[in-house]
C-alpha cells in the first residue's frame, strides 16, 4: 500500500458541470479530469479521482495530512490563492443573476444597498476579499443555495460562476442572467503548500502539453468552436435509442400486421416522443452555443474570420472597428488596408504579424491562413508592453545621462578646486596687506583702491573673498551630491545611513524646484540611523519632494519635512498643502506607468520605483491624501541596531 500511495495522485472533484467535470454511465470524464490524467501519464503516476463536497475539498487541500493531493478551482485573474497553484488551465467568469423582470446590473455600483449571495470560499469570495463592496453580503454554501434564496426573496442578486450557472438555469426558469462578466477567472490546479514539489512537476507536465500541442487538442475537444458538449445521462441515451427502436418496430408492424390504425397510432406516439426529445436536445444545444459565444465575446482580444471575398464569417466583435478605421496604421505610420493584407497572406500562405498604432494605443495584429481562402485575424492591445520597452530605453538614456553627469561633475570640480585654493591665498594676502594699506594712507591721504576709500575697499575685498569661497564650497557640495547620485547601485554595499543627511542632500539637489515654495524642516536630534543604500534613499526623497512641488501652487505652497525616532523605528515625513488625490488615484499611485501628469511629460515610474526601493529596505511607505487638502507620505524604516 505505501508503494501504491507514492505512485498515485488523488484528484479531488466536486463539480457536476459539463464539459469540465462530470460522471456519465459511472465514468468520470471532462476536460479537467482528462487533463490531469494526461499529466499523470507524463509524471508516471496513477490518477485517482475522489468526489467530495466543495467545502470539504477546500478544507482538505489546506490540510497537509489529507488524502486529497490536488483539486481544480477558479482564481480571479488578478489575485493568487495562498496555496501552491499551477499555471492557468482555462478561462471563465462570474456575473450577476436576478429574478425575471428585475433591472439589469451594469456595474458593481448597481449592487450598492442590495442583498448579494456569495459562495463562501469560491473565486468570487477570494476576489471580493481584496475589493470590498458597498452591498449587504449573504454567504451561502452553494450557488444553488443562492438561487433558492433568490426565488424565496431572501436575496436580491446572486454572483455565480458561469459554468455552474449554465447547469442551474434550466432548473430555475424564473432566474435570468442580468449582467456582463463582472469578474474574470482561470481554472488552476492547487495543492497544499507542503506539496509544492508536486505542483512543480504538474506545472512542468502542463507546460510540456502546451508546447507539444496536446493541450490545444484537449481544449478543442471540450471547448472548441462549433463543437457543443451536452451532458446526456445514460438514462437519456437509453431512452433515445429505445424511442428509435420502438419507431422501427412500429414501422415493421405497420407493414406486416393488418392493424393499420393501431400501428399508425403507435407510430404517431413514437414520432411525437422523438420530436419532443429532439426539441429538448436542440434547446440545450442552442443554450450551450449561446453560452460559449458569450465566453468568446467576453475575451478582451479581437478574433475575426474572413474569406478571400472579405466576407466576415465569424467575429466576437471586439475592436473590429479598428480593422476599417483610417487611424489604424502600422507603427511606422504607413496606412493599413485589411483587404491587401488578407490577400497577401492567402497568396503566400504565411502568417503576418505587425505592430500597429491607433490614436494613443498600440496593438499587435496577427493574420493567419486557416484554409486556402480563409484567414483568422487576431487583435491584441500591447500598449503596456510598448510603454515598458519605452521605459527600458528611457532607463538606458538616463544611465548614459548619469555617466555624463558624473563626468561633468568631475570637470566642474577641477576649476572649483582652483577657485577655493586661490581664494584662500587671496584671503591670507588681504590680511597681510591690511597693515601696509593703513600705513600708506598716512603717506598719501588721497589714495583710493578701485575708486573707493582704502578702508572700505579692503572691507569689500575681504567680504568678496568670503562670498566667492562660500559659493565655491556650495558648488563643491552640489557636485559631490550629484556624483554620489550618479554612482551605479550596488545592492551589497548597504551601510549605516543618516536620515537627516538624506534630507539635506535631497534638498540641495532640489533647490531649484523648492525655491518658489516655503520649506519647513524639522530634523530629529540625534539623527535617526538606518541600514541601507544612501544613493537610493536620495533618489526616493528627491522624487517625493519634486512631486510635492508639482502638486503645490507657486509662491503659496508649503512643504513640511521631518525626521522622527522611536524605540523601534526611524521615520521621514513629507507633507504639503497641494491639490491632493482622490481615492481612485490613491489606489493606483504606485502602479507602473500610472500618472496624472501624462500631458506634462510624466512617465508614471517615479512612485513605482520609490515603492520598490522602500520595500527593498524592508521599510514601509504610507500615503495619506485628500483632494484639495494636500498629501502626507511617511517612510518608516526598521531602526539600525
Amino acid at each position: 500500500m505505501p508503494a501504491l500511495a507514492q505512485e498515485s495522485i488523488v484528484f479531488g472533484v466536486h463539480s457536476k458541470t459539463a464539459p469540465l467535470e462530470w460522471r456519465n454511465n459511472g465514468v468520470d470524464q471532462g476536460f479537467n479530469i482528462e487533463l490531469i490524467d494526461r499529466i499523470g501519464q507524463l509524471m508516471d503516476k496513477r490518477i485517482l479521482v475522489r468526489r467530495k463536497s466543495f467545502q470539504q475539498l477546500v478544507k482538505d487541500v489546506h490540510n497537509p495530512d489529507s488524502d486529497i493531493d490536488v483539486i481544480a478551482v477558479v482564481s480571479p485573474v488578478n489575485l493568487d490563492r495562498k496555496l501552491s497553484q499551477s499555471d492557468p488551465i482555462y478561462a471563465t467568469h462570474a456575473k450577476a443573476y436576478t429574478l425575471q423582470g428585475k433591472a439589469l446590473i451594469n456595474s458593481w455600483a448597481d449592487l450598492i444597498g442590495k442583498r448579494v449571495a456569495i459562495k463562501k470560499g469560491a473565486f468570487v469570495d477570494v476576489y471580493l476579499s481584496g475589493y470590498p463592496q458597498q452591498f449587504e453580503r449573504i454567504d451561502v454554501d452553494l450557488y444553488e443555495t443562492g438561487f433558492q434564496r433568490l426565488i424565496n426573496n431572501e436575496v436580491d442578486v446572486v454572483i455565480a460562476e458561469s459554468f455552474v450557472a449554465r447547469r442551474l438555469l434550466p432548473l430555475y426558469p424564473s432566474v435570468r442572467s442580468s449582467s456582463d462578466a463582472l469578474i474574470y477567472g482561470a481554472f488552476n490546479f492547487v495543492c497544499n503548500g507542503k506539496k509544492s514539489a508536486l505542483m512543480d512537476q504538474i506545472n512542468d507536465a502542463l507546460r510540456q502539453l502546451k508546447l507539444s500541442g496536446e493541450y490545444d487538442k484537449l481544449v478543442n475537444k471540450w471547448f472548441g468552436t462549433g463543437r457543443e458538449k451536452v451532458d446526456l445521462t445514460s438514462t437519456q441515451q437509453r431512452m433515445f435509442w429505445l424511442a428509435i427502436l420502438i419507431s422501427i418496430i412500429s414501422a415493421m408492424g405497420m407493414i406486416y400486421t393488418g392493424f393499420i390504425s393501431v400501428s399508425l397510432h403507435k407510430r404517431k406516439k413514437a414520432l411525437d416522443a422523438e420530436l419532443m426529445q429532439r426539441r429538448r436536445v436542440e434547446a440545450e444545444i442552442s443554450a450551450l452555443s449561446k453560452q460559449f459565444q458569450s465566453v468568446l465575446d467576453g475575451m478582451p482580444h479581437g478574433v475575426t474570420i474572413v474569406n478571400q471575398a472579405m466576407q466576415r464569417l465569424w467575429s466576437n466583435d471586439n475592436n473590429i472597428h479598428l480593422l476599417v478605421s483610417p487611424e489604424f496604421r502600422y507603427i511606422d505610420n504607413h496606412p493599413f488596408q485589411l483587404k491587401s493584407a488578407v490577400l497577401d497572406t492567402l497568396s503566400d500562405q504565411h502568417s503576418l504579424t505587425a505592430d500597429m498604432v491607433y490614436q494613443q494605443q498600440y496593438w499587435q495584429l496577427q493574420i493567419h491562413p486557416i484554409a486556402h481562402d480563409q484567414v483568422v485575424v487576431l487583435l491584441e492591445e500591447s500598449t503596456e508592453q510598448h510603454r515598458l520597452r519605452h521605459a527600458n530605453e528611457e532607463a538606458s538614456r538616463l544611465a548614459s545621462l548619469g555617466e555624463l553627469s558624473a563626468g561633468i561633475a568631475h570637470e566642474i570640480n577641477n576649476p572649483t578646486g582652483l577657485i577655493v585654493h586661490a581664494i584662500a591665498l587671496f584671503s591670507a594676502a588681504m590680511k597681510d596687506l591690511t597693515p601696509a594699506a593703513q600705513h600708506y594712507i598716512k603717506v598719501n591721504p588721497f589714495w583710493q583702491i578701485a575708486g573707493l576709500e582704502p578702508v572700505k575697499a579692503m572691507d569689500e575685498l575681504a567680504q568678496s573673498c568670503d562670498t566667492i569661497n562660500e559659493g565655491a564650497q556650495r558648488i563643491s557640495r552640489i557636485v559631490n551630491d550629484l556624483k554620489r547620485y550618479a554612482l551605479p547601485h550596488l545592492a551589497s554595499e548597504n551601510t549605516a545611513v543618516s536620515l537627516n543627511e538624506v534630507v539635506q542632500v535631497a534638498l540641495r539637489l532640489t533647490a531649484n524646484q523648492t525655491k518658489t515654495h516655503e520649506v519647513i524642516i524639522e530634523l530629529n536630534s540625534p539623527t535617526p540611523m538606518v541600514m541601507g543604500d544612501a544613493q537610493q534613499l536620495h533618489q526616493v526623497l528627491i522624487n517625493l519632494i519634486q512631486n510635492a512641488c508639482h502638486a503645490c501652487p507657486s509662491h503659496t505652497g508649503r512643504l513640511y519635512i521631518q525626521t522622527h525616532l522611536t524605540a523601534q523605528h526611524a521615520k521621514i515625513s513629507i507633507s504639503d498643502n497641494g491639490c491632493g488625490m482622490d481615492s481612485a488615484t490613491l489606489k493606483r499611485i504606485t502602479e507602473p506607468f500610472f500618472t496624472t501628469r501624462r500631458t506634462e511629460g510624466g512617465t508614471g515610474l517615479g512612485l513605482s520605483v520609490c515603492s520598490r526601493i522602500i520595500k527593498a529596505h524592508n521599510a514601509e511607505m504610507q500615503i495619506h491624501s485628500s483632494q484639495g487638502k494636500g498629501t502626507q507620505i511617511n517612510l518608516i524604516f526598521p531602526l539600525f541596531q
Side-chain angles (χ1 to χ4, degrees):
M1 290 299 294
L4 177 59
Q6 291 177 356
E7 299 300 325
S8 300
I9 299 175
V10 180
F11 180 48
V13 172
H14 70 89
S15 176
K16 299 178 182 178
T17 303
L20 293 165
E21 304 159 355
W22 90 99
R23 182 175 291 168
N24 190 18
N25 288 332
V27 178
D28 291 305
Q29 56 184 273
F31 174 77
N32 285 340
I33 293 176
E34 188 167 347
L35 179 60
I36 195 68
D37 186 67
R38 186 66 187 95
I39 289 173
Q41 293 175 20
L42 292 176
M43 296 170 60
D44 197 23
K45 293 182 183 293
R46 179 185 177 195
I47 302 299
L48 301 178
V49 177
R50 189 158 298 161
R51 291 188 176 269
K52 295 185 179 183
S53 69
F54 175 74
Q55 286 73 22
Q56 185 60 49
L57 287 174
V58 172
K59 186 183 297 183
D60 284 349
V61 81
H62 284 85
N63 179 9
D65 299 322
S66 166
D67 60 340
I68 298 297
D69 296 318
V70 181
I71 67 174
V73 295
V74 183
S75 295
V77 295
N78 57 342
L79 293 175
D80 288 333
R81 293 182 180 265
K82 296 181 180 179
L83 299 168
S84 180
Q85 67 182 44
S86 72
D87 295 340
I89 300 172
Y90 197 73
T92 185
H93 63 274
K95 55 185 178 179
Y97 296 84
T98 62
L99 293 176
Q100 298 282 355
K102 298 295 183 180
L104 294 176
I105 305 298
N106 296 311
S107 67
W108 290 100
D110 293 339
L111 298 177
I112 295 176
K114 289 184 168 55
R115 301 168 298 172
V116 182
I118 305 295
K119 180 180 175 182
K120 191 66 178 173
F123 92 110
V124 179
D125 184 10
V126 174
Y127 174 86
L128 291 178
S129 65
Y131 295 88
Q133 302 294 327
Q134 297 178 357
F135 54 71
E136 181 182 356
R137 173 178 173 148
I138 308 295
D139 288 338
V140 295
D141 58 340
L142 297 169
Y143 288 124
E144 189 166 6
T145 305
F147 277 38
Q148 292 170 352
R149 299 191 69 173
L150 182 64
I151 292 175
N152 294 332
N153 200 29
E154 296 175 3
V155 298
D156 302 311
V157 180
V158 178
I159 299 180
E161 191 266 332
S162 60
F163 282 111
V164 178
R166 294 178 196 170
R167 175 175 59 87
L168 294 178
L169 285 177
L171 305 177
Y172 298 92
S174 60
V175 178
R176 69 159 184 176
S177 166
S178 60
S179 79
D180 292 329
L182 296 175
I183 309 170
Y184 288 99
F187 279 90
N188 301 83
F189 294 127
V190 302
C191 68
N192 189 273
K194 291 188 177 181
K195 299 178 181 178
S196 58
L198 173 62
M199 186 53 66
D200 290 340
Q201 296 177 36
I202 290 175
N203 261 331
D204 289 341
L206 180 59
R207 293 163 189 164
Q208 183 177 341
L209 290 174
K210 289 183 177 180
L211 290 173
S212 67
E214 289 187 62
Y215 170 85
D216 293 335
K217 291 180 181 179
L218 285 178
V219 169
N220 187 59
K221 175 180 178 181
W222 295 105
F223 304 98
T225 303
R227 297 195 57 177
E228 314 301 336
K229 303 299 175 186
V230 182
D231 187 11
L232 296 177
T233 64
S234 57
T235 302
Q236 288 174 318
Q237 291 177 346
R238 286 196 295 269
M239 290 181 64
F240 178 78
W241 290 110
L242 181 59
I244 295 177
L245 180 60
I246 292 174
S247 174
I248 295 173
I249 294 175
S250 298
M252 293 176 63
M254 180 182 63
I255 297 173
Y256 292 104
T257 68
F259 303 98
I260 298 176
S261 60
V262 176
S263 298
L264 288 175
H265 179 67
K266 289 182 179 180
R267 180 172 177 77
K268 182 178 181 300
K269 287 182 62 178
L271 291 175
D272 288 344
E274 183 178 354
L275 181 59
M276 289 179 62
Q277 177 72 8
R278 288 181 180 272
R279 286 176 177 172
R280 184 164 58 250
V281 172
E282 288 174 357
E284 292 177 355
I285 291 175
S286 176
L288 192 57
S289 177
K290 291 179 180 178
Q291 290 162 354
F292 274 112
Q293 182 66 41
S294 70
V295 171
L296 293 172
D297 290 342
M299 292 174 59
H301 308 315
V303 182
T304 303
I305 298 176
V306 298
N307 62 13
Q308 194 167 9
M310 300 309 297
Q311 295 174 322
R312 187 169 54 168
L313 305 180
W314 180 88
S315 175
N316 64 358
D317 292 330
N318 285 346
N319 306 306
I320 190 68
H321 64 282
L322 297 182
L323 297 176
V324 295
S325 172
E327 297 182 53
F328 188 64
R329 308 173 73 86
Y330 291 103
I331 199 167
D332 59 4
N333 209 34
H334 281 78
F336 169 74
Q337 292 292 332
L338 177 61
K339 183 175 182 179
S340 61
V342 169
L343 294 178
D344 290 344
T345 301
L346 289 174
S347 175
D348 299 338
Q349 284 296 300
H350 286 111
S351 299
L352 168 67
T353 301
D355 291 325
M356 314 296 290
V357 63
Y358 176 74
Q359 295 179 352
Q360 300 299 320
Q361 297 175 322
Y362 294 89
W363 297 80
Q364 184 181 75
L365 170 72
Q366 298 182 46
I367 303 178
H368 302 284
I370 57 175
H372 71 281
D373 63 344
Q374 294 179 13
V375 298
V376 59
V377 182
L378 306 176
L379 273 176
E380 179 180 358
E381 187 177 0
S382 58
T383 303
E384 291 302 323
Q385 293 89 327
H386 179 84
R387 288 174 179 169
L388 184 59
R389 289 196 300 269
H390 181 74
N392 287 335
E393 295 170 359
E394 184 69 18
S396 177
R397 288 195 294 272
L398 289 176
S400 300
L401 181 59
E403 295 178 3
L404 180 61
S405 299
I408 293 174
H410 176 74
E411 294 300 323
I412 293 175
N413 254 347
N414 290 335
T416 303
L418 294 175
I419 293 172
V420 172
H421 180 73
I423 288 301
L425 177 62
F426 292 162
S427 297
M430 291 299 299
K431 291 180 182 178
D432 294 339
L433 290 174
T434 299
Q438 292 173 348
H439 175 75
Y440 189 73
I441 292 173
K442 296 176 182 179
V443 176
N444 184 4
F446 301 103
W447 176 51
Q448 291 187 338
I449 301 176
L452 298 175
E453 295 180 3
V455 174
K456 186 174 182 179
M458 295 300 288
D459 290 340
E460 287 288 338
L461 287 172
Q463 185 175 355
S464 297
C465 287
D466 292 340
T467 302
I468 293 172
N469 184 62
E470 181 182 351
Q473 293 292 343
R474 183 178 179 187
I475 291 172
S476 180
R477 284 198 304 272
I478 293 175
V479 168
N480 287 335
D481 290 342
L482 186 60
K483 286 173 67 177
R484 284 198 299 270
Y485 186 75
L487 285 174
H489 169 60
L490 298 174
S492 61
E493 293 188 357
N494 284 350
T495 58
V497 178
S498 164
L499 292 189
N500 287 0
E501 184 179 348
V502 169
V503 172
Q504 292 166 346
V505 171
L507 285 172
R508 285 199 297 270
L509 291 174
T510 57
N512 190 52
Q513 288 92 339
T514 59
K515 64 184 179 183
T516 60
H517 303 287
E518 179 185 359
V519 182
I520 302 172
I521 309 298
E522 294 182 10
L523 302 180
N524 192 83
S525 180
T527 179
M529 300 296 294
V530 300
M531 179 62 73
D533 186 316
Q535 175 193 348
Q536 288 198 337
L537 295 181
H538 295 160
Q539 180 180 355
V540 170
L541 200 59
I542 288 169
N543 192 284
L544 296 181
I545 291 174
Q546 289 175 337
N547 285 352
C549 291
H550 289 315
C552 292
S554 296
H555 305 294
T556 60
R558 290 192 302 276
L559 275 69
Y560 300 87
I561 304 178
Q562 301 169 301
T563 59
H564 304 274
L565 185 63
T566 66
Q568 283 118 11
H569 298 97
K571 183 171 76 170
I572 299 177
S573 176
I574 305 104
S575 56
D576 62 64
N577 66 339
C579 59
M581 296 175 281
D582 57 25
S583 58
T585 301
L586 199 58
K587 287 180 180 178
R588 302 186 58 195
I589 195 64
T590 58
E591 290 183 12
F593 306 111
F594 176 79
T595 178
T596 58
R597 301 180 58 251
R598 183 79 64 193
T599 58
E600 301 171 28
T603 64
L605 288 173
L607 279 179
S608 175
V609 173
C610 290
S611 176
R612 175 179 56 78
I613 292 174
I614 291 301
K615 289 179 181 177
H617 283 74
N618 297 319
E620 179 183 2
M621 181 165 63
Q622 298 176 344
I623 305 176
H624 307 283
S625 184
S626 298
Q627 202 162 17
K629 296 183 180 180
T631 300
Q632 179 177 356
I633 299 179
N634 297 323
L635 307 178
I636 303 174
F637 299 84
L639 200 59
F640 171 65
Q641 301 296 333

